[in-house]
Amino acid sequence: MTSNQDNLIFTWRCPSNIAFVKYWGKKSNQIPCNASLSMTLSSAYTEVRLELIKKVSISSDIELTYRFEGKENEKFEQRIIQYLDGLRNQFSLLNEYQIVFDSTNSFPHSAGIASSASAFGAIALALLDAEYQLTGKEIDNYFFEEASNLARLGSGSASRSIFGHYAAWGEAKEIEHSSNLYAIPVEKVHENFQNMRDAILIVDDQPKSVSSSVGHALMNEHPYAQQRFVQANERVGELIDILHSGDYDAFIRLVESEALTLHSMMMTSNDYYLLMKPNTLKVIEGIWEFRKQTNIPVCFTLDAGPNIHVIYPDYHHEAVRSFLEESFQNSIIDIIFDKIGKGPEKRENR
Ligand code: DP6
């Protein structure tokens, strides 16, 4: 923070995350219909620099500039204005300061990495840091719980990016201390799962035919929704046990079934749709064959899109990397190698 209270700067870096049990379906005010669990990434992050400039006179209008990679981005600016509007009662700084966000991603926009998770994570952290600074509060554990809640209001999956390693979000009787309002870190993870990797295979970099917001909304009238929500809550409980026990086989079965269940929900909603591409299936079958031949505990998951996240322990990195590069050279556009990460980081202000 700079010392002059008329002009303050807060910079945070927040990573993206990949869900192993998927959040799919929500109620009003960003309350999830089921619990979810993800691994926080390391190299794929958004960095947000928040500059607060004292307004000439206090006004209830939100004065916002949002630049993404140096350019004003009107579409995202509208989403942020709406977001900040909902926070006005909680943050008096929104009445007192002009807000300037400068945001950059470490990964290409088309990479199929959840950029709203890292972006809203970083925005929430910077805003809350500013509020804490202006009200003389110290950053403690409660800060991260509050930041997770704020991030959730921007994008549900962002709630989980506030914590490193593994995080669970959504209230379920299967998960101790769980909440719909914020994510919680998953503790006491077995060493087998402490150094996992995620290789993201880009099979298609075009905008999706159906957005995640539409997909969430289609769960409202989905014929299998209630059963799915029960299943997801149970699976988060099971996955926490697996992360404690170190059982790779159980992990693989659960994670792959989750990915296919998410896409089954899309294929059986009204309207139905399909986000996987022929090369998505080609890669999945290739991974199954490779696993059968090598016994390496490698599996796949999918987000709401056609790209494949290949998940495996770090000590098999060389073998998996050569396999992916050699086998899918002609079927994919790019591979982004990432791994489990420690969570957000406050940066030196510039
Ligand atoms: C398939 O978090 O993008 O990636 O709350 O509307 O911003 P909003 O949705 P979003 O949905 C993520 C869906 C998912 C699964 C997951 O990350 O859990």
Side-chain angles (χ1 to χ4, degrees):
M1 196 211 51
T2 55
S3 54
N4 177 354
Q5 296 271 323
D6 286 347
N7 193 318
L8 306 165
I9 293 169
F10 302 85
T11 308
W12 279 83
R13 192 178 269 189
C14 184
S16 186
N17 69 75
I18 175 67
F20 293 146
V21 178
K22 313 289 180 179
Y23 147 54
W24 201 238
K26 61 174 158 177
K27 302 174 198 162
S28 58
N29 209 21
Q30 293 283 101
I31 297 299
C33 292
N34 64 263
S36 56
L37 191 153
S38 58
M39 179 174 90
T40 299
L41 298 177
S42 166
S43 312
Y45 59 79
T46 299
E47 187 165 302
V48 163
R49 177 186 188 271
L50 164 64
E51 183 169 6
L52 300 180
I53 306 164
K54 195 92 174 177
K55 285 180 184 173
V56 183
S57 58
I58 294 181
S59 73
S60 59
D61 291 336
I62 295 204
E63 292 179 27
L64 171 77
T65 306
Y66 189 90
R67 284 188 289 260
F68 177 65
E69 322 235 290
K71 289 199 207 90
E72 286 199 31
N73 183 320
E74 231 175 273
K75 200 167 154 223
F76 207 60
E77 193 169 278
Q78 282 315 312
R79 189 167 167 188
I80 307 287
I81 287 187
Q82 227 181 349
Y83 171 68
L84 295 179
D85 215 43
L87 301 177
R88 240 203 323 233
N89 293 339
Q90 199 180 335
F91 289 97
S92 54
L93 68 86
L94 296 172
N95 299 326
E96 292 159 20
Y97 290 90
Q98 287 175 36
I99 311 288
V100 181
F101 282 117
D102 270 290
S103 167
T104 47
N105 284 353
S106 65
F107 50 91
H109 189 61
S110 54
I113 294 175
S115 61
S116 63
S118 52
F120 275 104
I123 288 168
L125 286 157
L127 261 181
L128 195 63
D129 189 7
E131 180 70 12
Y132 266 47
Q133 187 69 59
L134 287 166
T135 54
K137 283 205 230 166
E138 293 284 319
I139 293 186
D140 52 9
N141 281 345
Y142 185 61
F143 171 85
F144 291 98
E145 186 176 299
E146 237 184 310
S148 175
N149 190 356
L150 268 185
R152 168 188 63 87
L153 294 169
S155 176
S157 52
S159 65
R160 301 182 309 239
S161 272
I162 300 300
F163 300 98
H165 311 286
Y166 298 92
W169 167 50
E171 197 177 320
K173 63 177 184 333
E174 291 84 353
I175 320 162
E176 255 189 279
H177 309 300
S178 58
S179 169
N180 282 336
L181 304 182
Y182 51 83
I184 52 169
V186 177
E187 297 184 323
K188 300 198 191 96
V189 170
H190 190 279
E191 60 174 358
N192 279 1
F193 293 113
Q194 284 176 14
N195 290 304
M196 297 300 275
R197 285 201 169 245
D198 177 7
I200 307 155
L201 273 61
I202 314 300
V203 302
D204 190 289
D205 58 3
Q206 296 307 303
K208 288 184 280 188
S209 55
V210 178
S211 70
S212 287
S213 324
V214 172
H216 279 295
L218 286 171
M219 287 304 282
N220 294 337
E221 303 292 323
H222 197 292
Y224 308 137
Q226 291 318 314
Q227 190 52 38
R228 162 62 194 158
F229 300 146
V230 170
Q231 177 195 50
N233 288 350
E234 286 171 359
R235 281 182 162 173
V236 174
E238 283 165 32
L239 185 51
I240 291 175
D241 289 345
I242 292 169
L243 291 174
H244 290 161
S245 72
D247 184 342
Y248 283 134
D249 289 341
F251 177 82
I252 289 169
R253 274 196 305 277
L254 191 149
V255 169
E256 291 191 342
S257 173
E258 257 303 291
L260 296 178
T261 304
L262 170 71
H263 283 254
S264 314
M265 290 294 117
M266 298 171 191
M267 288 186 244
T268 48
S269 57
N270 183 15
D271 281 344
Y272 52 83
Y273 63 108
L274 193 57
L275 295 181
M276 288 191 267
K277 299 283 178 195
N279 280 336
T280 310
L281 300 184
K282 186 173 171 186
V283 172
I284 291 175
E285 290 188 325
I287 292 168
W288 284 344
E289 190 53 40
F290 175 73
R291 187 167 73 221
K292 207 160 111 194
Q293 278 172 14
T294 61
N295 269 324
I296 290 178
V298 49
C299 66
F300 75 87
T301 187
L302 304 164
D303 256 346
N307 301 323
I308 299 128
H309 292 250
V310 183
I311 311 295
Y312 53 96
D314 181 61
Y315 57 88
H316 287 299
H317 179 55
E318 277 318 308
V320 175
R321 191 180 56 77
S322 351
F323 157 70
L324 296 175
E325 284 174 352
E326 282 159 26
S327 313
F328 304 122
Q329 210 172 24
N330 299 324
S331 336
I332 62 173
I333 299 167
D334 199 6
I335 309 184
I336 296 173
F337 290 100
D338 208 338
K339 58 179 180 228
I340 192 166
K342 293 200 295 281
E345 212 183 299
K346 184 172 160 96
R347 308 288 293 168
E348 187 109 332
N349 295 324
R350 282 166 290 112

